[in-house]
Amino acid sequence: MPTTHATAHAKAGMIARLNSPDYDRWAGQIRATGGCRQPIHLRGKIDHYDRATGRLCTATPPSTSQTASSASPAKPAAPPAAPPAPRRTEPTPTT
């Protein structure tokens, strides 16, 4: 199992984060994204349309929308490509 060795700089950063006034908000975002290191930040509004008529029923402005400051985990990284097949070499004749 890999081990992690924190440098003095990393330790100072962790202590600063833990003592930050917005720690609870930050921790909530980390929990919401499943600990994703590079979440996708969504911004915008939500529009609800009637499927039968196509008319706009309700629109939620960005200030109250859940997507106004929502972070979602990014997709998992694509698996690495298969290594190239070994080159076939012809046997060298011996004399």
Side-chain angles (χ1 to χ4, degrees):
M1 175 171 262
T3 60
T4 303
H5 300 284
T7 65
H9 178 71
K11 289 177 185 177
M14 287 185 268
I15 291 168
R17 173 55 74 187
L18 288 169
N19 291 322
S20 175
D22 70 338
Y23 173 78
D24 290 330
R25 182 189 64 80
W26 175 83
Q29 288 178 337
I30 297 301
R31 279 190 296 277
T33 60
C36 181
R37 294 178 74 176
Q38 295 180 329
I40 299 169
H41 295 276
L42 304 174
R43 299 188 196 309
K45 62 180 183 165
I46 299 173
D47 294 336
H48 296 273
Y49 290 91
D50 184 319
R51 289 185 181 194
T53 64
R55 291 181 56 204
L56 178 65
C57 298
T58 59
T60 307
S63 61
T64 60
S65 170
Q66 290 179 348
T67 59
S69 61
S70 177
S72 299
K75 289 184 179 180
R87 292 177 49 147
R88 182 175 175 191
T89 57
E90 296 296 324
T92 54
T94 58
T95 54

